[in-house]
Amino acid sequence: MARRERVVRMSVEQPLWRALTAYRVLTMVYAVLIFLLQRERFERPWIAACYLAFLAVWTLATLPRVANAASCTKRFLVADLTVAVTGILLTPLADTHAQQVDGPTLPSIWAAGAVLAFAVKGGWRWAAVASSVVAVANLVERAHPSRDTLHNVLLVWVASIAIGYVVEVARASERTLARALEIEAATRERERLARDIHDSVLQVLAMVQRRGTALGGEAAELGRLAGEQEIALRTLVSSGLVPASRAAHDTVVRTAVEDDDEPLDLRTLLAPYAGSRITFSEPGAPVLLPSAAAKELAAAVGAALDNVGRHAGTDAHAWILVEEWPDEVIVTVRDDGPGIPEGRLAQAEGEGRLGVALSIRGRLRDLGGTAELISVPGQGTEVELKVPRGETPR
């Protein structure tokens, strides 16, 4: 049965909004408890009671507003800061000795939550403005501020600006990560298209060129045209001009893994390659891999055998060996051809011939595996393909 694992992108600042929501509720409860425990010192307790009742209703009613950045608008932030500042300035009216006694204001530390909302929403500049407004309100409320008052004001100011700065850095990192995922998606899709083109169109064009040149006449002209198109197409593929589809971006960013229905026996996919000049050696038990991984591995084996046919000569013999281990599957393709001269692979990639780079190594890299090529001039070539067991990403 098809199974799909989805990767949900969550904003890096979302945990801060949840923490702010909890902070506002807890500090509102704290401010109410302070009033209930010390109400005998208030000369006008009804002022404090009315304000704290409004504060409780306001806090609970606006919880959805501080759930995320979209719902926390500028108008709400200004209104929220006004509630905090009003509570601070009402403190001397409810408690005439508040200016002489260095006690808590009516909203107490709830006012810091209004400043933190500015920090999370707009960064350190917004936080600096909001904390400065609260600082002025506290200094006015105290009339003759003490050292503790100045210390608390400075603490809120520095803390809010620091949090705002962290939020800005986190947002920049999130944008960078999103861009990196888009580039990775485009690169993977480009390589997949290049592999498909190499395995089909480029090989056909190369065959037409060879056959046309051998036949001569009008066929030679067709072969020449096919050769020109092959060079142009190889240049297009190697230069990275093959566009990546939007679906690839959505696949990498939103849907990371999508497995096919049932695992496949790798032996059944590789058995058709066996022939008079290709020996196939397999384990006695099924070699099960996820469908996508098995198909890609078989295609990589086919690309290796195509290279044997083109470069090792018509008389070359090839061997396919499948080994199954607890944590990986290894497929080895070996031939008795002349081998690959040193530096030939790098030269081929520079010329746009990306058979080994894309059809073999690219496929294995997408599966989380590796492809190693060992060649000694005059002693043939060996390609070792390794794929991890279990679920493998496309």
Side-chain angles (χ1 to χ4, degrees):
M1 183 175 67
R3 189 173 57 80
R4 192 178 292 243
E5 178 183 342
R6 296 190 178 274
V7 177
V8 181
R9 288 183 57 198
M10 183 183 70
S11 173
V12 293
E13 65 191 63
Q14 193 58 40
L16 294 177
W17 288 111
R18 289 200 294 263
L20 180 60
T21 301
Y23 178 88
R24 288 167 63 89
V25 174
L26 293 176
T27 52
M28 178 270 293
V29 174
Y30 176 74
V32 173
L33 288 177
I34 289 179
F35 168 70
L36 294 177
L37 295 175
Q38 301 180 3
R39 60 183 179 274
E40 65 278 357
R41 71 178 178 85
F42 286 88
E43 285 75 12
R44 302 181 184 90
W46 61 272
I47 295 179
C50 291
Y51 172 79
L52 292 174
F54 175 80
L55 181 66
V57 173
W58 172 264
T59 301
L60 297 177
T62 58
L63 288 181
R65 288 286 191 172
V66 291
N68 51 64
S71 59
C72 188
T73 61
K74 293 180 181 179
R75 182 176 299 179
F76 164 75
L77 289 174
V78 172
D80 199 51
L81 186 63
T82 302
V83 172
V85 171
T86 302
I88 295 173
L89 297 178
L90 283 176
T91 302
L93 297 178
D95 181 9
T96 56
H97 298 289
Q99 293 182 329
Q100 287 76 34
V101 180
D102 198 12
T105 60
L106 288 180
S108 185
I109 56 176
W110 184 92
V115 176
L116 294 177
F118 273 83
V120 178
K121 172 68 176 181
W124 70 269
R125 294 175 180 84
W126 288 27
V129 173
S131 58
S132 298
V133 172
V134 172
V136 171
N138 276 282
L139 295 177
V140 170
E141 181 267 334
R142 292 301 178 190
H144 304 287
S146 64
R147 180 180 298 178
D148 290 339
T149 301
L150 295 175
H151 176 269
N152 293 335
V153 166
L154 182 62
L155 180 62
V156 172
W157 194 75
V158 172
S160 60
I161 291 179
I163 293 176
Y165 179 75
V166 170
V167 170
E168 289 187 1
V169 172
R171 285 174 179 160
S173 300
E174 186 179 22
R175 289 192 296 269
T176 302
L177 176 60
R179 179 57 182 160
L181 290 174
E182 291 179 0
I183 295 174
E184 180 185 7
T187 302
R188 288 184 177 275
E189 179 68 2
R190 187 158 48 238
E191 290 184 357
R192 185 191 66 79
L193 292 175
R195 287 197 298 267
D196 294 342
I197 292 173
H198 177 271
D199 293 344
S200 56
V201 181
L202 291 179
Q203 292 183 7
V204 172
L205 291 175
M207 182 184 67
V208 171
Q209 181 188 20
R210 290 195 300 269
R211 294 291 296 167
T213 302
L215 293 175
E218 294 183 357
E221 178 64 16
L222 291 176
R224 184 186 66 80
L225 294 175
E228 293 178 355
Q229 295 303 312
E230 179 193 6
I231 293 174
L233 189 55
R234 287 187 187 277
T235 302
L236 183 67
V237 171
S238 60
S239 63
L241 296 181
V242 178
S245 65
R246 184 63 184 175
H249 171 267
D250 295 337
T251 297
V252 173
V253 176
R254 298 181 178 87
T255 307
V257 178
E258 181 180 351
D259 294 334
D260 288 339
D261 293 340
E262 296 292 339
L264 293 180
D265 186 356
L266 181 63
R267 302 179 306 169
T268 62
L269 299 179
L270 298 181
Y273 290 127
S276 59
R277 294 190 175 277
I278 300 178
T279 301
F280 178 49
S281 302
E282 58 182 309
V287 182
L288 298 179
L289 284 174
S291 177
K295 292 176 182 177
E296 288 291 283
L297 181 56
V301 172
L305 293 175
D306 289 340
N307 288 334
V308 173
R310 286 198 301 270
H311 304 299
T314 57
D315 297 331
H317 197 100
W319 291 265
I320 303 175
L321 174 63
V322 179
E323 301 175 87
E324 183 179 22
W325 297 93
D327 56 343
E328 63 182 358
V329 172
I330 302 176
V331 180
T332 305
V333 180
R334 183 171 60 86
D335 66 73
D336 59 358
I340 303 176
E342 185 177 356
R344 182 68 187 93
L345 289 180
Q347 179 184 356
E349 291 187 21
E351 296 173 353
R353 302 180 180 274
L354 305 176
V356 174
L358 291 179
S359 290
I360 299 178
R361 288 175 179 161
R363 294 181 190 275
L364 271 294
R365 183 179 65 248
D366 289 349
L367 297 174
T370 59
E372 296 184 10
L373 189 146
I374 302 174
S375 181
V376 178
Q379 299 183 21
T381 302
E382 179 176 304
V383 179
E384 186 180 70
L385 311 174
K386 295 182 180 181
V387 174
R389 297 300 301 270
E391 298 181 354
T392 51
R394 275 189 180 181

